Amino acid sequence: MYLSDVHTHSIASGHGTTCTVSDMAKAASKKGLKLLGITDHGPGTLAAGTSSYFRSLSYSPKKRFGIELLFGVELNILDVDGHVDLSDELLDKLDYAIASMHAQNYKSGSVKENTSAYLNAMKHPCVKILGHCDNPHFPADYETLAVAAKEFGVIFEINEASLAPYGYRGDTRTNNREILRCCRKYNIPIVLSSDSHGTEHIGDFTCAAEFVHEEMFPEELILNNQIPRLKMVLEER
């Protein structure tokens, strides 16, 4: 049983999801979570949250249905220079940011180019998690990313939607195995994430947890149940 899920999406992410933040918090409460992160897609995603939406989050209640809420964003990496789709002014008002690659916004290049794009995005002080960088459509050098993650205080996620049968990214197991190897080597924490769009998969880490345990990844480097430590990582600038 894991107590936090910091990569989830509400109606503001589009994708046909109709669940509000309150719906998400209620579902998280029913599943026994203590901390929920709402990380709707940046405005570069079709039908996703506008700048006004992200600006309003700083006025939203941080506790609902007994659940502590964090408000972040899943940024779209836009180019090799690591530009993202939300301004510094708005990022500074959020609790943290996940940086991810999506085909809608980023044209995959060579391993070197994709790695550079991740590295440059990671330099932004608000970026605290690399989102589903296991995606084989965006090949990257995980050893290089891990060294930079250690330097910049960024953590990796093991994404349930990448490993579950309903996932659409293809076979990510080899890449996830390499991510875990590098994190173990450099003593970098990870977080299991549902990447739930709506309430259906909130707090569901069935495949992600099975995978990390099969790989005998150290439990002390999985932050989902270490909420004070997880919050410290996300808040550090």
Side-chain angles (χ1 to χ4, degrees), residues 58-78:
S58 60
Y59 303 102
S60 297
K62 299 300 287 284
K63 195 158 189 175
R64 303 187 193 190
F65 305 100
I67 294 288
E68 183 178 1
L69 293 175
L70 296 178
F71 293 110
V73 58
E74 184 178 7
L75 295 169
N76 290 290
I77 298 174
L78 302 176

Side-chain angles (χ1 to χ4, degrees), residues 212-231:
V212 298
H213 293 144
E214 285 176 354
E215 296 299 313
M216 295 184 289
F217 190 75
E219 192 71 30
E220 62 268 20
L221 288 179
I222 304 173
L223 297 186
N224 295 71
N225 281 352
Q226 303 177 56
I227 290 178
R229 184 181 175 196
L230 173 59
K231 289 171 62 179

Side-chain angles (χ1 to χ4, degrees), residues 1-4 28 30-34 203 205 219 224-225:
M1 175 67 191
Y2 288 102
L3 301 177
S4 64
K30 288 181 178 178
K31 293 186 178 184
L33 270 64
K34 302 298 182 186
F205 312 118
E219 192 71 30
N224 295 71
N225 281 352

Side-chain angles (χ1 to χ4, degrees), residues 33-223:
L33 270 64
K34 302 298 182 186
L35 178 69
L36 177 67
I38 304 293
T39 50
D40 286 309
H41 287 293
T45 298
L46 185 65
T50 64
S51 295
S52 296
Y53 165 73
F54 288 105
R55 184 175 288 108
S56 72
L57 289 176
S58 60
Y59 303 102
S60 297
K62 299 300 287 284
K63 195 158 189 175
R64 303 187 193 190
F65 305 100
I67 294 288
E68 183 178 1
L69 293 175
L70 296 178
F71 293 110
V73 58
E74 184 178 7
L75 295 169
N76 290 290
I77 298 174
L78 302 176
D79 53 36
V80 174
D81 294 323
H83 292 118
V84 293
D85 58 338
L86 205 62
S87 69
D88 287 354
E89 175 211 348
L90 295 177
L91 284 170
D92 286 343
K93 296 178 185 298
L94 298 175
D95 292 310
Y96 62 102
I98 300 171
S100 303
M101 289 180 178
H102 299 97
Q104 185 183 63
N105 303 102
Y106 177 84
K107 182 179 180 180
S108 185
S110 65
V111 169
K112 182 177 180 181
E113 289 169 332
N114 294 340
T115 302
S116 293
Y118 277 123
L119 290 175
N120 288 322
M122 289 162 67
K123 293 176 183 177
H124 196 292
C126 293
V127 171
K128 307 313 299 181
I129 300 174
L130 284 187
H132 48 72
C133 67
D134 55 13
N135 193 331
H137 296 101
F138 304 102
D141 180 344
Y142 296 116
E143 184 91 18
T144 299
L145 292 184
V147 171
K150 187 75 171 179
E151 177 183 355
F152 297 128
V154 175
I155 62 176
F156 291 84
E157 70 169 4
I158 301 298
N159 188 294
E160 176 71 13
S162 290
L163 291 163
Y166 58 79
Y168 60 89
R169 296 183 184 113
D171 187 355
T172 65
R173 294 177 68 85
T174 298
N175 288 345
N176 274 302
R177 191 170 290 117
E178 179 66 5
I179 289 168
L180 292 181
R181 183 193 70 79
C182 292
C183 288
R184 185 185 290 110
K185 177 178 178 179
Y186 294 104
N187 202 40
I188 298 168
I190 66 167
V191 66
L192 308 183
S193 68
S194 71
D195 200 357
S196 185
H197 286 63
T199 60
E200 184 178 2
H201 296 291
I202 285 178
D204 181 4
F205 312 118
T206 304
C207 298
E210 180 181 8
F211 184 82
V212 298
H213 293 144
E214 285 176 354
E215 296 299 313
M216 295 184 289
F217 190 75
E219 192 71 30
E220 62 268 20
L221 288 179
I222 304 173
L223 297 186

